[in-house]
Amino acid sequence: MESAGSPSRRAPAVGRGNRMRAAVLEAAVAELGETGYAALTVDGVARRAGVHKTTIYRNWADSDALVADALAGHFAAEIPVPDTGAVESDLRALARSLVATMATLAGRALLATVLSDAVRVPRLAEVKRALFDDRFRRAEPVVTRAVERGELPADTDPAELLKALAAPIYFRLVFTGEPADEATADGAVRVALAAAHARALPAPRHRPRPDVH
């Protein structure tokens, strides 16, 4: 991943501290989105951020640590969870938000990393798992509220329904390379709801209770 530099011009110097850190992380996301994980270099990130590469190495052990920090930091922002009063419109908002996010530079950076050899790097694999687990955790109230309102079967597993919602979108983006748009998102909602109502989703997995002595 350090074999070549990026052709990007050096940005204006950004100073030190939090401003420098933010500039480097933003540059790393941009480089990932434009060049992909395999072609990303510290030189390219430094040039885009307007810092010297030694500045990066003083703050991050290597390029993998930088990528992990950049992705985790960018996607850690709080995501508004829709609460429209109806599960169909809530899921539609979630699905359209996913489509919109994956069309951004940061979304492309995430896909570029997930689809590369980066998944073999333990720290990046951990970041990927944490990002997706966090997304499911934040969106679970949408399904929980729908069950409480009687819109979904009582045994609906929130995580499994959300996976069914995201699957058609990621299939187009990752496997077929087709564009994903609002129509894709709306179709994913119909598929997920049909599966839930037909009880075709995997059953909830209950954790065993600890022994009480």
Side-chain angles (χ1 to χ4, degrees):
M1 207 163 73
E2 294 294 330
S3 59
S6 166
S8 304
R9 290 189 305 172
R10 179 178 292 279
V14 294
R16 300 178 180 179
N18 292 337
R19 185 179 177 188
M20 175 277 295
R21 181 178 179 82
V24 171
L25 294 178
E26 182 179 350
V29 169
E31 287 286 302
L32 276 172
E34 290 185 6
T35 69
Y37 171 82
L40 181 139
T41 67
V42 169
D43 282 342
V45 174
R47 190 158 39 244
R48 184 184 288 267
V51 302
H52 195 278
K53 68 178 180 181
T54 57
T55 300
I56 294 179
Y57 282 120
R58 281 198 299 268
N59 290 272
W60 291 273
D62 52 33
S63 54
D64 288 334
L66 174 59
V67 168
D69 210 6
L71 290 177
H74 187 89
F75 286 96
E78 190 68 34
I79 303 175
V81 176
D83 186 7
T84 65
V87 66
E88 184 174 0
S89 51
D90 281 350
L91 292 179
R92 184 182 304 115
L94 284 175
R96 290 184 175 186
S97 175
L98 174 59
V99 166
T101 297
M102 288 299 103
T104 66
L105 188 60
R108 294 198 300 274
L110 177 61
L111 286 179
T113 305
V114 169
L115 297 177
S116 70
D117 286 342
V119 293
R120 300 181 183 179
V121 178
R123 182 168 182 182
L124 290 174
E126 181 181 341
V127 168
K128 182 192 75 171
R129 285 193 298 271
L131 287 175
F132 284 105
D133 287 347
D134 180 65
R135 288 301 177 267
F136 289 136
R137 177 185 60 80
R138 297 187 190 203
E140 279 185 4
V142 167
V143 182
T144 302
R145 289 193 296 260
V147 170
E148 293 172 350
R149 291 193 298 261
E151 294 181 283
L152 292 173
D155 60 351
T156 301
D157 186 320
E160 294 300 334
L161 188 146
L162 292 169
K163 290 176 185 177
L165 177 69
I169 297 170
Y170 281 117
F171 186 86
R172 292 176 72 96
L173 293 172
V174 174
F175 293 102
T176 67
E178 298 173 89
D181 53 20
E182 289 191 349
T184 307
D186 296 350
V189 172
R190 291 190 293 271
V191 169
L193 286 177
H197 288 302
R199 287 185 162 83
L201 298 172
R205 291 179 293 179
H206 298 288
R207 296 180 180 176
R209 294 181 178 178
D211 293 333
V212 178
H213 298 288

